[in-house]
Amino acid sequence: VHVDQWRGNRTLSWRSKTDDIGRFTWSEAPADKIKFGMYKGGYMGISDYELVARPEEYQIVMYPPLVISGSVVDDLTDEPIKEFTATKGIRWENSPIHWQSPGLYDYDAKFTNGKYEFVIEYSYPGYLIRIDAKGYLPVKSRVFNSKEGLVTYNFRLKKGTGQSGIVHLPSGSPAANAEIYIVTPQRHFDFEN
């Protein structure tokens, strides 16, 4: 158990472990709201949990990890997709989906033989999974709640391609070896000259 924020800042440093019956006490806590984080291996972490000092005990429930797994098959043939990438996305309240940056931590992963699994131990308002495979249109899941536990979600991919086009120079000739960037509200692009 540790202090996350107090009065909107990370100015307090307090940390403790629960005892054998899961209890913790902070006798010198400030009187106003404090946001705490709580973590235990094998359980969903809790963050931004608001508590106010009081004589009565709080009852805080830690849930098992969210485990999302399933199959990824061709929509017409039912054959497993041999190779694909699964990417985690976070659904914040009242904002667009934030797809995690590829290659960082375990936010996206390469899978084979039509099976995938993610074990998620950090609580957010909602999670999604997006599947990308060469020669198929990308597809995304429904929103998963952090408290759902074990979830099976199967994907059916339709053949197709994403956006395509031809880049031209001002003269009208094709721009060979041009670099293409995807720009989203969460991922901007800066360039010079």
Side-chain angles (χ1 to χ4, degrees), residues 44 63-68 120 122-128 142-151:
M44 182 69 71
Y63 292 90
L66 172 62
V67 179
I68 306 169
I120 301 169
Y122 197 80
S123 182
Y124 281 116
Y127 279 98
L128 295 92
R142 67 172 175 84
V143 177
F144 303 103
N145 182 297
S146 295
K147 298 175 184 173
E148 287 188 54
L150 299 174
V151 178

Side-chain angles (χ1 to χ4, degrees), residues 165-182:
I166 299 174
V167 178
H168 294 275
L169 298 173
S171 65
S173 61
N177 299 315
E179 294 184 32
I180 309 298
Y181 292 86
I182 296 175

Side-chain angles (χ1 to χ4, degrees), residues 31-45:
D32 50 342
K33 290 180 188 174
I34 300 173
K35 289 185 178 182
F36 287 85
M38 296 155 219
Y39 304 95
K40 178 174 175 56
Y43 288 86
M44 182 69 71

Side-chain angles (χ1 to χ4, degrees), residues 1-147:
V1 181
H2 72 273
V3 171
D4 209 8
Q5 288 185 37
W6 177 54
R7 298 181 179 175
N9 296 297
R10 297 179 187 266
T11 53
L12 290 179
S13 178
W14 181 85
R15 179 176 302 272
S16 181
K17 286 193 174 195
T18 58
D19 63 17
D20 293 345
I21 57 172
R23 183 174 284 131
F24 72 93
T25 304
W26 185 15
S27 303
E28 300 84 25
D32 50 342
K33 290 180 188 174
I34 300 173
K35 289 185 178 182
F36 287 85
M38 296 155 219
Y39 304 95
K40 178 174 175 56
Y43 288 86
M44 182 69 71
I46 298 173
S47 62
D48 293 334
Y49 197 95
E50 282 192 351
L51 298 174
V52 177
R54 67 179 195 185
E56 304 84 30
E57 284 188 347
Y58 286 94
Q59 294 294 318
I60 301 161
V61 178
M62 297 190 81
Y63 292 90
L66 172 62
V67 179
I68 306 169
S69 63
S71 63
V72 180
V73 300
D74 183 290
D75 189 49
L76 293 177
T77 67
D78 288 332
E79 290 293 317
I81 303 296
K82 292 194 187 307
E83 294 181 0
F84 61 94
T85 301
T87 306
K88 285 190 281 188
I90 297 172
R91 177 36 129 328
W92 299 101
E93 295 172 18
N94 304 318
S95 68
I97 300 164
H98 176 74
W99 295 104
Q100 302 294 291
S101 298
L104 291 176
Y105 310 107
D106 65 343
Y107 294 146
D108 74 334
K110 306 267 186 221
F111 292 95
T112 59
N113 301 320
K115 297 287 182 192
Y116 76 96
E117 179 180 271
F118 279 114
V119 178
I120 301 169
E121 294 183 336
Y122 197 80
S123 182
Y124 281 116
Y127 279 98
L128 295 92
I129 304 291
R130 186 185 69 223
I131 303 293
D132 294 282
K134 189 173 183 177
Y136 291 89
L137 296 171
V139 63
K140 64 182 179 181
S141 69
R142 67 172 175 84
V143 177
F144 303 103
N145 182 297
S146 295
K147 298 175 184 173

